[in-house]
Amino acid sequence: MDPRSTADPASSSTSTHSTTTTSPTPTPSPSSLRKRVLSIDTSSRDSRGSSGRERESKARQEEEEEESVMASAAASEAERERDVEAAVPVPMSPAGRLFRETNFNCYIVAVIGLGARVDVAAARAGLEATLVRHPRFCSVQVSDEASKRAKPRWVRTTVNLDDHLIFPELDPTATSASPDQVIEDYMSTLSTQPMDHSRPLWELHVLDFPTSEAAATVAVRMHHSLGDGVSLLSLLIACTRSAADPARLPALPPAPALRDGPVYARRRPPLSAGIVALAAWAWSYLVLALHTLVDVACFVATSLFLRDARTPLMGTEGVEFRRKRFVHCTLSLDDVKLVKNAMKCTVNDVLVGVTSAALSRYYFRKENDTNSEKRTRRKHIRVRSALLVNIRKTPGLHVLAEMMNSNKNNVARWGNLIGYIVLPFRIAMFHDPLEYIRQGKRTVDRKKSSLEAIFTYWSGNLIVKLFGIKTAAALCHGMLANTTLSFSSMVGPAEKVEFYGHPIEYIAPSVYGHPHALTVHYQSYMNIIKLVLAVDDAQFPDAHQLLDDFAESLRLIRQAASTKS
């Protein structure tokens, strides 16, 4: 059984609040920060000679202000209690239930670098006003164990913020000498720690010491059943404000000019375009149907028996339960855009190509294929990734922010609205680095002309209804276990943002709990892209070398693109 699927509340709280090394100076209790500090005047009389009555009047005024603050807090707490009592339990979605299964117990983690030391009081106030009020983040998962047909439900509860704000006690010598390594080791240890399912399934870990990239770090961990990456990124955006103008939400990069719906949508030409244009439009839907049939057949075969060849990149049985390591590096978004413009493709095409180039470098180094004849003979190696696809119609920033309140009838829905596609990567050594981009563009264009993601989403829901969650989990687990890696890419704010008054330097999200030894995630923010790798800690002792393969691949591809006429 998965050790993360259940947890004793006491042991869970203890295990996640500290690491194996202990600081000689304990962290102050966060509950003490709730108290408002009174300003007491200890100076002598001024030239006019303040009277005792004036001092008493000032003291009474301060006491009244304190009582007003306490009354306001009590009213807010009472309002929250009424909301909890009035809330109706909400059934969990099939995808949310899937992420609770023993062999598919997935968590999302995000390391966020801050440009200032953590103001805990400001962070607490911000969390109380936003995140704690979100229906999913103030609910627990409840199921009727006596009834096998009963579906798990989200039930509102009162959130004690002290249960979710974690201040680990770390060795100050280590945090001073190797702060980046301390963060990396802490996150790796976190992947082995259970969460207490009697509380809302999220945590915010405060690592308040400087690193090479930030003045302080916070790490967010939450159960994947709370929502997918788009939902959770939208929640983060809604909790931030533009650093240039704190009165407004941050801006996202503009959507492509022709993108007013799903990537597979075909815009019908006007009648004035002629019969040829209309015939081409009709033909595109026939191609869409054919590609969908082929992809669905391959997807079903992969879930049942079609397995990737064994390579150094592929995990072994039970990898979903083992310790993970999260490493990241910064890539230049400008470099990626330069390649995009030179090759007349998209940013995602470039990222797929760079990933293929990096995996090829790593594979041939691990296999020690220095013989050119042997390398040529094995040039047709293919590995496949499971790619999560957001099936929502692309929403704007303000629609995303409205997802903070799932009770509203929003265009963008909260939850796990994602489908899977199987995305192949070519393992080869090309003399021209730009060939990786050409191959990546062909692969992505082919997958855009398919309804594979829509099929996997709706068929998954149907299988849950007809055959139960265990069958759906087994098929989904089989699909992932028969592929080599997970791959994803998300767009973040285009400008610098502040998180409850703390400027954000970078965002590095990832996921663990699924049967892959390697997960590749790209996260854009301002003019950078964070590449985040989640790897099996034992299988990839050279994880940082794999990161270097990605950086070197992008450098070579950019260099080739800059000389392209």
Side-chain angles (χ1 to χ4, degrees):
M1 185 174 181
D2 183 0
R4 293 187 299 269
S5 61
T6 57
D8 177 72
S11 63
S12 174
S13 176
T14 302
S15 62
T16 57
H17 281 65
S18 63
T19 58
T20 54
T21 55
T22 306
S23 169
T25 305
T27 305
S29 171
S31 61
S32 63
L33 296 168
R34 288 181 172 178
K35 299 179 180 179
R36 182 173 180 268
V37 179
L38 296 179
S39 176
I40 302 175
D41 184 9
T42 58
S43 61
S44 58
R45 292 173 177 263
D46 58 20
S47 57
R48 291 176 298 174
S50 298
S51 66
R53 283 179 299 177
E54 289 174 338
R55 290 196 301 272
E56 291 175 1
S57 176
K58 184 177 180 180
R60 282 197 302 271
Q61 183 179 0
E62 290 177 342
E63 290 176 0
E64 290 172 357
E65 290 176 357
E66 175 68 12
E67 290 174 358
S68 176
V69 170
M70 295 178 65
S72 176
S76 177
E77 186 67 24
E79 180 183 355
R80 187 184 305 170
E81 293 283 357
R82 288 195 298 272
D83 290 343
V84 168
E85 293 175 0
V88 178
V90 177
M92 292 187 65
S93 67
R97 293 168 61 193
L98 179 68
F99 287 123
R100 298 172 72 245
E101 287 303 298
T102 301
N103 59 351
F104 210 66
N105 193 28
C106 297
Y107 294 82
I108 294 175
V109 292
V111 178
I112 302 174
L114 304 178
R117 301 296 293 271
V118 178
D119 182 343
V120 180
R124 288 181 65 93
L127 291 170
E128 290 278 7
T130 55
L131 192 66
V132 171
R133 294 181 177 274
H134 189 278
R136 288 293 177 272
F137 287 77
C138 64
S139 297
V140 294
Q141 301 172 1
V142 176
S143 59
D144 185 0
E145 300 295 341
S147 174
K148 294 183 178 181
R149 300 179 61 87
K151 296 180 180 179
R153 306 180 309 279
W154 293 107
V155 178
R156 293 283 189 97
T157 186
T158 301
V159 177
N160 179 6
L161 200 53
D162 292 336
D163 293 334
H164 302 272
L165 274 178
I166 297 174
F167 302 81
E169 297 180 353
L170 303 171
D171 182 2
T173 303
T175 58
S176 298
S178 305
D180 294 340
Q181 189 64 45
V182 170
I183 297 287
E184 183 181 310
D185 291 342
Y186 182 80
M187 295 303 298
S188 182
T189 301
L190 201 60
S191 71
T192 67
Q193 302 295 331
M195 292 187 78
D196 184 357
H197 283 239
S198 68
R199 303 167 180 166
L201 297 176
W202 64 274
E203 300 168 345
L204 185 70
H205 299 251
V206 180
L207 305 166
D208 196 15
F209 53 86
T211 64
S212 62
E213 295 185 87
T217 305
V218 293
V220 182
R221 181 171 70 146
M222 57 192 70
H223 200 270
H224 211 321
S225 60
L226 294 179
D228 56 27
V230 173
S231 296
L232 298 172
L233 180 61
S234 72
L235 182 62
L236 173 63
I237 292 174
C239 293
T240 63
R241 291 296 181 267
S242 166
D245 181 8
R248 65 172 174 83
L249 289 167
L252 287 176
L258 298 178
R259 177 79 178 276
D260 57 357
V263 294
Y264 53 80
R266 304 294 190 267
R267 181 177 298 178
R268 192 184 73 177
L271 295 177
S272 59
I275 189 65
V276 175
L278 290 173
W281 173 73
W283 175 254
S284 70
Y285 273 98
L286 290 176
V287 172
L288 180 70
L290 177 61
H291 287 171
T292 300
L293 287 175
V294 172
D295 288 344
V296 166
C298 290
F299 188 93
V300 173
T302 301
S303 297
L304 297 175
F305 62 86
L306 186 60
R307 187 176 180 86
D308 283 358
R310 174 65 58 188
T311 67
L313 300 166
M314 195 168 190
T316 56
E317 185 177 357
V319 66
E320 61 267 32
F321 304 120
R322 293 199 287 269
R323 177 187 176 110
K324 300 299 183 294
R325 184 163 294 275
F326 307 94
V327 296
H328 58 84
C329 69
T330 303
L331 306 177
S332 169
L333 182 57
D334 290 335
D335 286 350
V336 172
K337 289 182 177 179
L338 185 148
V339 177
K340 171 186 79 78
N341 295 332
M343 300 298 292
K344 296 180 174 57
C345 60
T346 68
V347 168
N348 279 335
D349 295 338
V350 176
L351 297 180
V352 169
V354 169
T355 302
S356 182
L359 297 181
S360 298
R361 290 175 62 87
Y362 184 84
Y363 171 83
F364 286 114
R365 183 175 62 251
K366 295 292 286 187
E367 291 294 295
N368 200 23
D369 285 346
T370 56
N371 185 291
S372 59
E373 181 181 350
K374 184 178 179 182
R375 187 178 302 172
T376 302
R377 197 165 60 243
R378 303 185 66 179
K379 67 181 180 180
H380 295 296
I381 300 169
R382 284 206 318 168
V383 299
R384 297 177 301 163
S385 70
L387 172 64
L388 288 173
V389 177
N390 170 32
I391 66 170
R392 302 174 180 88
K393 181 178 179 179
T394 305
L397 172 64
H398 295 290
V399 179
L400 285 173
E402 284 297 315
M403 293 170 76
M404 277 288 292
N405 187 347
S406 64
N407 292 325
K408 294 184 179 180
N409 185 22
N410 299 319
V411 176
R413 294 167 53 198
W414 180 270
N416 284 284
L417 295 175
I418 50 178
Y420 283 96
I421 67 173
V422 178
L423 184 73
F425 287 96
R426 182 92 172 267
I427 300 297
M429 295 299 289
F430 296 119
H431 294 294
D432 180 7
L434 296 180
E435 186 60 28
Y436 292 108
I437 307 301
R438 298 186 188 99
Q439 294 279 349
K441 176 175 169 51
R442 282 195 286 269
T443 299
V444 174
D445 286 346
R446 164 64 180 80
K447 286 297 181 178
K448 287 178 181 177
S449 182
S450 173
L451 299 178
E452 182 180 3
I454 302 296
F455 168 82
T456 56
Y457 174 75
W458 290 110
S459 64
N461 290 347
L462 182 62
I463 290 172
V464 170
K465 292 178 181 178
L466 295 179
F467 304 104
I469 192 66
K470 299 294 183 184
T471 301
L475 290 173
C476 193
H477 182 275
M479 186 275 295
L480 291 175
N482 287 336
T483 55
T484 299
L485 69 148
S486 292
F487 178 88
S488 63
S489 172
M490 293 188 65
V491 177
E495 61 176 335
K496 194 160 193 172
V497 300
E498 292 184 347
F499 182 67
Y500 305 131
H502 302 81
I504 292 181
E505 299 298 324
Y506 67 85
I507 307 169
S510 192
V511 64
Y512 69 92
H514 57 292
H516 277 152
L518 172 63
T519 296
V520 179
H521 183 84
Y522 293 96
Q523 177 66 61
S524 70
Y525 173 55
M526 295 192 295
N527 62 341
I528 66 170
I529 294 180
K530 265 296 179 185
L531 164 65
V532 189
L533 304 180
V535 300
D536 184 308
D537 199 18
Q539 184 174 334
F540 288 88
D542 52 354
H544 287 278
Q545 192 171 22
L546 179 56
L547 272 181
D548 293 340
D549 288 331
F550 279 84
E552 179 65 10
S553 297
L554 177 59
R555 187 190 70 81
L556 293 174
I557 291 172
R558 183 205 179 282
Q559 186 178 39
S562 63
T563 59
K564 185 177 182 294
S565 57

